[in-house]
Amino acid sequence: MFSDLSAQRDGSSLLRRPASEEQGPVFERSPPDYSLCTARYSVGERSFSRQYAHIYAARLMEMRPLLSEKAKHKWGPDVHIRKLCDLETGEQCCIVGTLFKRMDLQPSILKEISEEHNLLPQPARTKYITEADELVLEDELQRIKLEGKIDRDKCVTGSVIAIYGAEKNDGKFTVEDFCTAGLPLQTPRPALSSDKFVLLASGLGLGSSRADSMLGLQLLVDMVTGQLGDAGEQSGAATISRVLLAGNLLSQSTQDKDASTKPKYLTKKTQAGTVDAIRLLDEMLLQLVASVPVDVMPGQYDPTNYTLPQQPLHRCMFPLSSVYPTLQLVSNPYGANIDGVRFLGTSGQNVCDIRKYSSMESHLEILEETLGLRHLAPTAPDTLGCYPFYQRDPFILEECPHVYFSGNAPAFGSKLVTGSDGQEVLLVTVPDFSSTQTACLVNLRTLQCEPVSFSAFSADEDEESEMNISH
């Protein structure tokens, strides 16, 4: 583990007189083999004139053969796989389709602007599920209500599944069992001869008024660049081969929602709140990219397009750090091969959205569920904004990653998941750094993950509290 590599040996060199005036030991950081795999998330021609029905049709068309094969493997090769238009009452069969969850509490712009009913805007909620919710399965032509052995509260709209059961006389389909697509095939990861680490951090929250978060962030930068600690700490820092910043680099407080509604003469000489935050980010990145390769993902509060897939931040916003070839501005979702280890993840919007519309609370559980569904963002475009793709759904997982992460989680978590074909996937929830002062390190050799916490003086803590960096 990283804490073992950076442990102090033979006492602290910081508390001893230098043996000579010569320069101390120099630790080389070996660059990893790196290839970016985000071409599928690139939006070239931007046309918003299409309907969102196309992405659902493309999703079902691509997932149907996979789920048909899974259904035959689970319920036998003789199972009848029907379309809804061919369904007969009382026949035991399998249907492949897309789930739709009808929810009374789901926010709707049509309800809010309805003058006929004079409805008031709905209050903000953390969950939108109720006992009155209904599950519906639909294919290209028809839809049918579901009941039986399926967890209505856990399911979300947009999931493509295979169900087994029979249609009853009341027109509803009684589910006896169901299955998901499961994990896709995985490329074996190479055996590394030494420990190499990738540092994951998210939610830096630059532009906020919290000084303790800035102190923790500077401690993180100093640790990665080898400016912190003695020779033992510096040798450990040299094993960090790459840094990945997973979205929400700016604080939510930098978003001025009233600026678009104010008259122009009131905002003519007003500077946007994001300007100073971007300048801080550029200065922080300059310290990092001079020492280590850095991948920068956008998030919900960052200056890029709002809908998924979010395109990379523009290089012109980083005049200081963009001159370094070690700065890589990437999309959200993100995919890359680092020393043969496949990374895949998001800045967390997909996980937070699923949490609102299902009974699942744990971000790790939601990550595992999307991995089993073989889809990054099943709730897009219903409750999560995404680009109206026409002939493909880029969020379908075609290859199983080795590390699957989501950013801006309330707490750190990791779990190793094993698939039916021997796949091994490390699930990681990267905590929001501005509130937890915690990042995490992934070992590329062992596929283990550990948090790195940076705590500092705080007004809410005891006077005897000390600055602490713990692995």
Side-chain angles (χ1 to χ4, degrees):
M1 298 295 284
F2 181 81
S3 54
D4 299 328
L5 293 175
S6 59
Q8 296 177 351
R9 299 177 178 87
D10 301 329
S12 175
S13 61
L14 298 177
L15 302 178
R16 293 188 308 214
R17 183 191 297 261
S20 65
E21 296 182 357
E22 296 179 1
Q23 184 181 3
V26 177
F27 302 99
E28 295 289 341
R29 196 191 304 271
S30 57
D33 293 331
Y34 175 82
S35 61
L36 200 59
C37 306
T38 57
R40 62 188 292 112
Y41 305 123
S42 176
V43 179
E45 171 200 5
R46 303 195 182 189
S47 172
F48 292 89
S49 61
R50 307 186 186 101
Q51 296 294 322
Y52 279 107
H54 299 298
I55 191 172
Y56 282 119
R59 184 182 305 177
L60 180 58
M61 188 178 302
E62 188 170 346
M63 298 290 286
R64 186 189 294 278
L66 303 173
L67 283 158
S68 299
E69 184 180 346
K70 284 283 184 181
K72 291 179 180 178
H73 184 266
K74 184 171 185 177
W75 299 308
D78 299 329
V79 64
H80 299 289
I81 301 177
R82 306 289 190 198
K83 290 192 174 183
L84 288 176
C85 59
D86 301 325
L87 204 58
E88 297 181 5
T89 304
E91 180 190 23
Q92 294 285 331
C93 63
C94 167
I95 304 174
V96 177
T98 306
L99 284 178
F100 172 73
K101 192 172 181 179
R102 185 180 289 114
M103 296 176 287
D104 293 336
L105 295 181
Q106 179 176 335
S108 171
I109 187 63
L110 297 179
K111 290 182 181 179
E112 293 181 8
I113 65 175
S114 174
E115 297 179 357
E116 180 180 355
H117 300 91
N118 293 323
L119 295 175
L120 295 175
Q122 295 186 28
R125 299 174 181 267
T126 57
K127 293 282 187 180
Y128 294 95
I129 56 176
T130 63
E131 291 295 327
D133 296 343
E134 294 180 344
L135 268 186
V136 176
L137 190 80
E138 58 183 28
D139 60 8
E140 298 90 341
L141 299 175
Q142 294 180 346
R143 55 168 49 184
I144 190 169
K145 289 184 179 180
L146 303 182
E147 60 182 13
K149 298 180 181 179
I150 185 169
D151 192 342
R152 175 199 60 205
D153 292 337
K154 188 176 180 180
C155 295
V156 291
T157 295
S159 306
V160 181
I161 65 172
I163 59 174
Y164 181 77
E167 182 187 11
K168 302 304 180 183
N169 293 326
D170 59 358
K172 296 182 180 179
F173 192 92
T174 302
V175 180
E176 297 180 8
D177 198 4
F178 72 95
C179 72
T180 59
L183 277 65
L185 295 178
Q186 185 181 60
T187 303
R189 57 189 177 91
L192 300 180
S193 58
S194 61
D195 288 323
K196 287 186 178 181
F197 295 88
V198 173
L199 185 136
L200 303 178
S202 67
L204 304 184
L206 296 175
S208 67
S209 58
R210 295 186 54 183
D212 56 336
S213 64
M214 287 300 298
L215 176 57
L217 181 57
Q218 189 59 51
L219 288 172
L220 170 64
V221 172
D222 289 344
M223 186 205 74
V224 173
T225 56
Q227 306 296 324
L228 199 66
D230 65 354
E233 292 280 352
Q234 293 169 357
S235 65
T239 61
I240 301 176
S241 59
R242 201 166 193 91
V243 173
L244 175 57
L245 303 179
N248 282 4
L249 310 168
L250 306 191
S251 170
Q252 185 179 3
S253 61
T254 61
Q255 310 295 309
D256 188 4
K257 296 182 179 180
D258 297 331
S260 59
T261 59
K262 289 181 180 178
K264 286 188 176 181
Y265 71 88
L266 292 178
T267 60
K268 185 176 181 180
K269 297 183 179 180
T270 303
Q271 181 173 270
T274 56
V275 174
D276 288 335
I278 285 291
R279 187 181 298 113
L280 279 175
L281 177 61
D282 190 22
E283 293 171 356
M284 186 270 294
L285 288 176
L286 177 62
Q287 300 177 61
L288 283 174
V289 297
S291 174
V292 62
V294 180
D295 291 339
V296 180
M297 295 171 58
Q300 181 179 358
Y301 307 127
D302 298 326
T304 184
N305 60 299
Y306 181 78
T307 57
L308 293 181
Q310 289 184 298
Q311 301 304 290
L313 299 171
H314 203 284
R315 300 187 74 87
C316 70
M317 292 188 287
F318 308 103
L320 301 177
S321 57
S322 61
V323 297
Y324 286 80
T326 48
L327 177 66
Q328 191 79 36
L329 301 174
V330 297
S331 64
N332 171 36
Y334 165 86
N337 286 319
I338 305 175
D339 276 333
V341 178
R342 180 69 182 267
F343 278 71
L344 178 67
T346 68
S347 295
Q349 294 101 313
N350 57 333
V351 174
C352 292
D353 191 69
I354 292 174
R355 185 178 175 275
K356 292 179 185 177
Y357 298 98
S358 75
S359 59
M360 293 182 286
E361 290 285 348
S362 169
H363 283 227
L364 269 181
E365 181 186 3
I366 297 173
L367 269 183
E368 188 172 0
E369 183 71 15
T370 57
L371 192 63
L373 291 171
R374 206 178 286 195
H375 201 278
L376 271 173
T379 56
D382 182 48
T383 55
L384 181 64
C386 82
Y387 180 77
F389 290 96
Y390 181 58
Q391 295 178 328
R392 63 187 179 97
D393 183 355
F395 305 114
I396 295 176
L397 305 184
E398 296 182 347
E399 182 181 351
C400 187
H402 300 104
V403 179
Y404 183 37
F405 67 90
S406 71
N408 301 287
F412 166 77
S414 66
K415 180 181 180 181
L416 192 62
V417 176
T418 303
S420 57
D421 296 325
Q423 304 99 321
E424 283 189 348
V425 185
L426 175 66
L427 307 180
V428 181
T429 56
V430 186
D432 180 84
F433 190 85
S434 63
S435 59
T436 64
Q437 304 289 285
T438 302
C440 50
L441 287 161
V442 176
N443 191 327
L444 299 179
R445 183 179 66 85
T446 63
L447 223 60
Q448 292 178 323
C449 187
E450 62 177 320
V452 184
S453 299
F454 301 83
S455 58
F457 296 105
S458 174
D460 300 331
E461 296 177 357
D462 204 15
E463 290 182 359
E464 297 180 357
S465 62
E466 296 180 354
M467 190 184 310
N468 180 44
I469 300 175
S470 58
H471 307 301

